[in-house]
Structure formats: structure tokens, C-alpha cells
Amino acid sequence: MRLINRRPDRTAGLLLAILPFALVLLAYVLGSAERLAENPADKLLPSLATIGDAIVRVAFTADPRTGDYILWADTLASLERLASALALSTLIALVAGLLIGLLPGVRALLASFVGMVSMVPPLALLPILFIVLGLGETSKIALIVIGVTPFLIRDLAMRVQELPREQIIKAETLGATTWQIALRIVLPQILPRLIDGVRLSLGPAFLFLIAAEAIAADSGLGYRIFLVRRYLAMDVILPYVAWITLLSVIMDFALAKLRDVAFPWFGGAK
Amino acid sequence: MTAIQVEHLWKEYGDQIVLENIFLDFAPRSFVALVGPSGCGKTTFLRILLSEEKATRGRVLIDGKPLAGEPGADRGVVFQRYSVFPHLTVLGNVLLAAEIPGAPFTGRLFGAARRRAQEEARALIAEVGLTGAEDKYPAALSGGMQQRLALAQAIMRKPKILLLDEPFGALDPGIRGDIHALMLKLWHSCEMSVVMVTHDLKEAFTLATRVIAFERKRNRSEERERFGATIAHDIEVWPKRIAGQPRINPSDRDGPISPEDTGRDDPALLSV
Ligand SMILES: Nc1ncnc2c1ncn2[C@@H]1O[C@H](COP(=O)(O)OP(=O)(O)OP(=O)(O)O)[C@@H](O)[C@H]1O
Ligand SMILES: [Mg+2]
């Protein structure tokens, strides 16, 4: 049978999916064991046991000074920044994207401006943000918003324009006003696409979050990683990276689920 | 009662002349079929009637008044595809046609008004034979069902003119027969004129009161750009169909069975 027609069954599929993870883990364990055999004080590839100890220390032991559980405090701080920034970006993108996609006048006014702004490298703006907005939460949230909003706006405006012209004309022949077309025809059809856009911008959002936290913060996942880097504390950095990855994966999955549940027609209409 | 007059209509795209000096005069409640070879400008003509496209020269009058500059509720349309809204159920699609005029700000009806509109929508859905599919999304409907839904949605808004662009082109002959019968029934019962583009001559003659053929008089390749399509044939269908008066004589053997027909083999007749 041709390779293109050979589909793994459920178990085989699961095994295949696990395989790369297992291989990476195995490579790490072997490499770590070899380095530790040479030099038991090696910090670069700590053993799984050392990592486990570090996890217990940051996640399940209260900090003697502050009484906080470091990992959860960091997670909360980071997620607060991320969530407020993404909420703000999504709202701006929804309004601007819809207007640009639907109204030729607004498109003429804003499309090239947004296109230009989206090319500004956000990290180059970070110093400006720190100078103007100070080192507090505002500048970090602003960096994420500046980083992902132009992309979301352009994506959404394109999705609006992708709606078949026939649908808009059909709505006009039902007597719909611009407002009614936006509300009943365009908005419900771009919401699931907006969710997909937000999913795609999770990666960049985390990038900007960690960059901002690395430079100026006193809590947060990015702050912690860059703090313990000074002590070469790989046993903390590695679990933190894994935890950040896991958080993104969970958010991505939850958003996809939300889209499927809230917009059951979307899967079939694609 | 809606008469359509087309006077001195030209349509050009850049250097290419598509329609050339079209004069037409449709009586109120006529059912006009437009036929012609591919690319001769039938869709273009329909889009001008819809105000989606502007005529280069000439004008279109509806009841003596120039056509509005944009599509509106007086002219309903069913396209070949994409005529229904994928995010609304069958019931939602038909209901939308009542919600839009009924609720300018929210676009939604509530309470008694909604129940009344729903009743009307359900009756129409039943009429086009979609009972039982009210809660399905269009993606779960067959092509024929989607076109019947599009018809119901357009009819719900009670347009004065219904424009159809090869609406049944993708359907198999069996389903097409059913939908033809439905089309005739709707034309008889609703106060509207119909303009339908079709590739199927038989369809044109089984449905229309008048068949109009567009054709390019000169079609040599070097002439194609500079000569648009004109009206090559304009045929009154005989025996005359009159809106609101379904035929009492049985339809011909190959034609659609109109629901009002009582066939020769109808047991109800024998028992008299
Ligand atoms: N937007 C446009 N820009 C330029 N040329 C166009 C445009 N729309 C249509 N045309 C041209 O006008 C001519 C008529 O097109 P139209 O779609 O009206 O044909 P049609 O009679 O509907 O054909 P078919 O039966 O294949 O649907 C074609 O030659 C086409 O190339
Ligand atoms: Mg066409």
C-alpha cells in the first residue's frame, strides 16, 4: 500500500506521538548521567532527581522569607499580565479588524497604517515604553499589546474580506443596514476566526511577556528564569521552561475547545 | 405589480464590451428566463439588476423609477452558491429575513414577535420541503436543500423581484423536477416577478413566461472585445402561463409535476 494511505491505528498513533518526547527525555537522561559521572558537581545537565528536588522546593515549599510558593506566585503574576494584555488586544483587534474589513472608508484610512505599525519590531520599543510608562505593570502589558494587536487586526480584517461577497449582498437584499450586517452576519462569523488568531499569537505574547519580565520585574516566570540564571540553576530553569510550554499548550487547547463548543457550525463550514 | 424596463443598456469592462444596447420591457409578474452561451454576460446583466454592478450607459427602471444605487429588499436573490449563512441554522436563516426589518438595532426578535415570525418561517420551511431540518446548519444540508433554503429565505422577505443566477445548475434532474414545481408554486402564490439565468433550455421553457437569449453577434476572436452580447431571441412561451393561475391541464410528460395538476391516472378523477 502507498505510504500516503497507511494510517496508524489508535494505539500505534499514540505510541508514535509519544516517541519523540521519549527520545528527547532519554537523550537528556543519558547525557546528564555521563556528565555527572565525570563531574558530580556539574550544573549544566542536572539529574532528574535534582530537578525533582528543585520542583518540590519552588512549587510545594513556602518561601521562608515571604511565605509564598514561588512557582505559583510567579505564574499568577505572569498570567495576570498575559491575560489583561490579550484581552485588550483582542478587543481592539475585533473592533478595528471588523471596521477595516467591512467599511471601505475605514480601510482606506487605517489599512496601510496598521500594516506599517505591524512591521515595527516591538522589542525595539521596549526602552521607550520603560521610559514613558515606567517599570511597572503598564509597560509590560503595553509591550504585549503592541506586539500582538497589529497582527490580530490584519488577520481579522482579512478574514472579514474573505467572507463570500454573495453573503453580504444577500444580507443587503434582506434589507439589512451596515450595522445589522456587522452584528448578525460578520461578527458571529469572525469570532471563531478571532479565537484562532489569538491561539496563533499565544507564542509571540509569551515571548514579549518574558522579555519584559527579564528586564524589569520583581515577580513572574520570565523574571525567575533570568534571576536564577546567575547561579546556573538549570534545575529551576528547565522545569520553568517546561511549565511555560505546558501553560501555552493548555491555553491553546482550551481556546480550540471554546471555539468548537461556542461555534458548532464552524467546523463544518470551513 | 412590478414592471422592469431596461433602456439602452451597455456594460463595458475596460476595453471589453460585454452587453451592447439592451432594450427590454418585462411586464409585471412575468417569469423571465435568460439563456445564452457561457461568458455572454448573463450574470453581468443580473448583477446590474441587483445594483451590484453599474451599467456603463443606459438605465434600468423599476415601475418607472430608476434603480436604487445599492442592493435592497425589493430585489431578492439566489446565487449558485453561498446564498445562505453558514452560522445560522435552517430556521435561523429564514427567521433572519423577518428579524432584520423587525429589529433595526438588535437584529433579533424576542417574545411574541419572535414566535409569530418563527411560525411563519416554519410554514415556509415546510413549503420548500425542509421540515425536520430546522435545526441543522447549512454545511449539513445537500446542495439541493441549501438552494431550497435560499429560496425560502428570499421569499420570506417578500421581494417584488426575485433574481436567480443558475440556482439549480448543480442539482441532479430528479431533484430539479421537484424544485421546479416548487418554483412555479412560489411564483403563483407570491406577488413577484422572477428573472432567472439558466444554462438549461428545457428548464427555461418549463418555468418561464418568456425566454430571452443573449448572444454575441460577432464572435471572431479579433472582434470579441469590441462587440457585446445583444438579444438574439425573445420568445413568449406558449401556451401562456399566467401568474396566480396554475395550469389545470396536466403538464407534459417530461415536465415537472405541478402540485395543482390532477393527472390522468389520478384515482380521485376516476371515482367521479
Ligand atoms: N469584474 C469583471 N471584470 C472584468 N471582466 C468581467 C468581470 N465580470 C465579468 N467579466 C467579463 O464579462 C463577460 C461576461 O461575464 P458573465 O459572468 O456575465 O458571463 P455569463 O453569461 O454569466 O457566463 P456563464 O454562463 O459562464 O456564467 C465575460 O467575458 C467576463 O470575462
Ligand atoms: Mg454566470
Side-chain angles (χ1 to χ4, degrees), chain B residues 42-43 165-166 197:
Chain B
K42 305 181 294 295
T43 299
D165 192 356
E166 298 184 40
V197 170

Side-chain angles (χ1 to χ4, degrees), chain A residues 3-270:
Chain A
L3 281 178
I4 53 166
N5 290 325
R6 278 166 65 165
R7 292 170 204 284
D9 62 21
R10 258 185 88 83
T11 17
L14 203 63
L15 285 176
L16 283 174
I18 291 174
L19 189 63
F21 292 97
L23 283 180
V24 169
L25 194 66
L26 184 71
Y28 181 87
V29 170
L30 290 180
S32 156
E34 193 171 328
R35 281 186 74 104
L36 287 172
E38 251 173 54
N39 170 16
D42 181 64
K43 290 197 113 183
L44 214 57
L45 298 181
S47 71
L48 292 186
T50 319
I51 292 180
D53 288 346
I55 293 177
V56 170
R57 191 151 33 78
V58 296
F60 304 112
T61 322
D63 186 68
R65 240 174 349 101
T66 58
D68 282 343
Y69 294 86
I70 294 176
L71 178 69
W72 307 117
D74 285 339
T75 305
L76 197 68
S78 285
L79 286 189
E80 251 180 55
R81 291 169 189 143
L82 194 73
S84 22
L86 279 180
L88 195 58
S89 307
T90 308
L91 197 70
I92 298 172
L94 183 61
V95 175
L98 204 155
L99 290 177
I100 291 174
L102 195 59
L103 304 179
V106 178
R107 182 151 64 240
L109 179 73
L110 287 182
S112 35
F113 179 71
V114 174
M116 189 76 101
V117 168
S118 72
M119 296 302 161
V120 176
L123 282 179
L125 294 179
L126 190 55
I128 305 179
L129 292 177
F130 281 146
I131 293 169
V132 176
L133 300 172
L135 298 179
E137 297 300 295
T138 323
S139 53
K140 297 182 194 72
I141 292 175
L143 177 70
I144 303 174
V145 171
I146 291 173
V148 302
T149 310
F151 159 78
L152 277 178
I153 294 179
R154 295 181 82 196
D155 182 53
L156 215 57
M158 273 190 245
R159 299 286 96 78
V160 173
Q161 286 180 271
E162 261 172 29
L163 292 179
R165 186 79 204 138
E166 284 89 343
Q167 278 189 24
I168 307 291
I169 292 176
K170 178 82 196 197
E172 289 179 73
T173 65
L174 296 179
T177 58
T178 302
W179 164 250
Q180 288 175 321
I181 291 174
L183 189 70
R184 293 294 322 261
I185 310 300
V186 180
L187 182 65
Q189 292 198 68
I190 56 169
L191 282 179
R193 296 170 166 99
L194 176 66
I195 293 181
D196 279 342
V198 172
R199 288 173 61 202
L200 287 180
S201 51
L202 278 180
F206 261 109
L207 167 71
F208 298 126
L209 173 75
I210 288 167
E213 286 179 344
I215 294 173
D218 45 22
S219 64
L221 298 165
Y223 159 76
R224 191 70 51 197
I225 293 181
F226 278 80
L227 180 75
V228 300
R229 175 189 65 101
R230 294 182 207 156
Y231 320 113
L232 285 181
M234 289 292 271
D235 56 341
V236 174
I237 295 180
L238 288 175
Y240 260 69
V241 172
W243 175 237
I244 293 171
T245 311
L246 188 67
L247 284 177
S248 317
V249 169
I250 292 172
M251 282 187 232
D252 184 66
F253 181 80
L255 284 172
K257 258 276 169 299
L258 172 70
R259 184 203 58 200
D260 290 345
V261 172
F263 309 101
W265 54 270
F266 188 65
K270 256 186 299 188

